[in-house]
Amino acid sequence: MTSENGQTNGHRGRDDQAVLLVAGLADLAVSTLGSALGTVRGLLRRSDAVQLVEEAERDLVARGRLALDRHATLPPAHLEVLARHVLATRSRADG
């Protein structure tokens, strides 16, 4: 079976596997970064240093959220697009 963009189900399975692999690597990187930040916090017990580390952590979380929002948006389903097209065509014909 072929999808609208010409990919077969085998390609889709590999694409899904690639997405899962990237998500796993990202999770590993985030957890490693969290451990590193915990170590840095332990080393830097100055009052302003802890605030700087917390701010950097918040910035990284926000950056990660933006990256996921930017890259994880899925296109509309093919049948949904067709249904909207049919409804629009019918409303023009009836109106």
Side-chain angles (χ1 to χ4, degrees), residues 8 13 26 36 48 65 81 83 87:
T8 62
D48 62 336
R65 193 170 286 130
V81 172
L87 288 175

Side-chain angles (χ1 to χ4, degrees), residues 30-31 33-34 37 41 53-69:
V30 168
S31 66
L33 181 62
L37 287 175
R41 275 193 192 134
V53 170
E54 288 172 351
E55 184 178 335
E57 185 177 2
R58 283 192 301 272
D59 288 347
L60 286 173
V61 167
R63 179 183 288 263
R65 193 170 286 130
L66 289 172
L68 285 178
D69 289 346

Side-chain angles (χ1 to χ4, degrees), residues 2 5 13 20 30 32 44 53 56-57 61-62 72 77 82 95:
T2 304
N5 60 3
L20 292 173
V30 168
T32 301
L44 302 174
V53 170
E57 185 177 2
V61 167
L82 289 176

Side-chain angles (χ1 to χ4, degrees), residues 7-27:
Q7 291 182 334
T8 62
N9 286 339
H11 289 283
R12 182 171 218 173
R14 281 185 261 158
D15 290 346
D16 291 345
Q17 186 176 1
V19 168
L20 292 173
L21 179 63
V22 170
L25 288 171
D27 185 56

Side-chain angles (χ1 to χ4, degrees), residues 39-57:
T39 301
V40 169
R41 275 193 192 134
L43 295 174
L44 302 174
R45 288 294 179 190
R46 297 182 356 204
S47 61
D48 62 336
V50 172
Q51 292 169 349
L52 290 174
V53 170
E54 288 172 351
E55 184 178 335
E57 185 177 2

